[in-house]
């Protein structure tokens, strides 16, 4: 593996740019091949995701290993928006670390599981692989439009459960404090799920963790960063990097949500979205990494 200052580092959301939101897997084989080559060329990579470590172990890591991930790579799974972390090596997923301060109360998780079982089992499943967050996810045989039509009712039931258990939360612009005035949790809907989480987690936490991991290993920091995601919340990782003095470009693979004004460049494909767009950008980054390995410093 090449040991030099990497031309770029990657912070990647998983659902959308890497895994298909339809199949919930890496549906484009070249994505795994390119990710493995990037890592082998010395590019530090973090999967900065709301997904669980189990999802990465089952859907993301095996294709990377099959593509020839080598020893000495700098790859991490930053799961559940920073609450769960693990190193990824040529041997697969390493020890999982969970930040106990970021766990949802177990009783709340049991109540959401009951809500799903009794009222929404034809729409979503309760993700029992989550260690800190509580998540419910659209069944794969449910049409996206049907899920999005009923998601508000699901979210209202979740909000009611938070209130009943005395948990202060935020949901979009709404803030509902607990009896002591605290707002410690967040309802975060996505196009295929609803996450309920500590409001201290987020893609910005994942970005800060990635820098701390590299520093702990004495790895050289990249000259610039590329972040990629499919929702407005994914911009937080680029925001954090920019605010902390790093050069960054963000790629939005689902710009239909609206591209906000940012102090850093934002890119999106003219026609492709989700993993089809993600594959295009990964291929370009492979070309950059190869060029750097050959002595060409042009980042394009």
């Amino acid at each position: 593996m090449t040991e030099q200052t990497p031309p770029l580092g990657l912070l990647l959301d998983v659902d959308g740019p890497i895994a298909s939101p339809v199949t919930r897997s890496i549906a484009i084989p070249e994505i795994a091949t390119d990710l493995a080559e990037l890592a082998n060329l010395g590019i530090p990579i973090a999967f900065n995701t709301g997904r669980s470590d189990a999802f990465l172990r089952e859907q993301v890591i095996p294709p990377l290993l099959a593509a020839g991930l080598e020893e000495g790579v700098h790859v991490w799974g930053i799961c559940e928006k920073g609450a769960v972390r693990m190193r990824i090596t040529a041997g697969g997923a390493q020890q999982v670390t969970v930040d106990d301060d970021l766990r949802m109360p177990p009783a709340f998780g049991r109540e959401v599981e009951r809500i799903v079982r009794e009222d929404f089992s034809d729409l979503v499943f309760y993700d029992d692989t989550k260690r800190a967050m509580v998540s419910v996810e659209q069944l794969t045989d449910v049409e996206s439009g049907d899920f999005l039509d009923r998601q508000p009712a699901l979210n209202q039931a979740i909000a009611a459960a938070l209130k009943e258990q005395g948990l202060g939360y935020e949901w979009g612009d709404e803030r509902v404090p607990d009896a002591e005035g605290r707002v410690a949790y967040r309802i975060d809907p996505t196009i295929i799920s609803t996450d309920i989480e500590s409001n201290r987690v987020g893609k910005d936490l994942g970005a800060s963790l990635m820098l701390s991991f590299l520093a702990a290993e004495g790895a050289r920091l990249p000259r610039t960063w590329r972040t990629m995601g499919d929702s407005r919340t994914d911009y937080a990782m680029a925001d954090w990097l920019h605010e902390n003095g790093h050069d960054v470009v963000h790629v939005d693979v689902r710009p239909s949500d609206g591209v906000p004004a940012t102090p850093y460049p934002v890119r999106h494909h003219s026609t492709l979205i989700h993993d089809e767009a993600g594959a295009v950008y990964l291929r370009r980054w492979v070309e950059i990494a190869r060029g750097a390995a050959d002595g060409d410093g042009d980042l394009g």
Side-chain angles (χ1 to χ4, degrees), residues 9-12 34-36 38-39 43-47 74-77 210:
L10 301 179
L11 280 161
L12 308 173
D34 287 344
L35 284 168
L38 284 162
I43 304 302
I45 300 172
F47 298 107
H74 298 293
V75 182
W76 285 269
M210 177 58 161

Side-chain angles (χ1 to χ4, degrees), residues 53 56-57 61 65 86-96:
D53 60 283
L56 292 190
R57 289 199 309 270
I61 296 174
L65 301 184
M86 64 183 176
R87 190 76 156 75
I88 299 170
T89 72
Q94 303 304 300
Q95 181 177 355
V96 173

Side-chain angles (χ1 to χ4, degrees), residues 3 22-23 53 87 97 112 123 138 170 187 204 214 217 219 223 225 238 241 244 249 253 269 289 297:
E3 288 292 348
V22 177
T23 66
D53 60 283
R87 190 76 156 75
T97 299
V112 172
L123 183 73
Q138 173 193 343
E170 59 187 53
I187 301 174
D204 49 346
L214 290 172
E217 295 197 352
R223 298 204 303 272
W225 288 89
L241 288 164
N244 285 273
V249 177
V253 301
H269 198 277

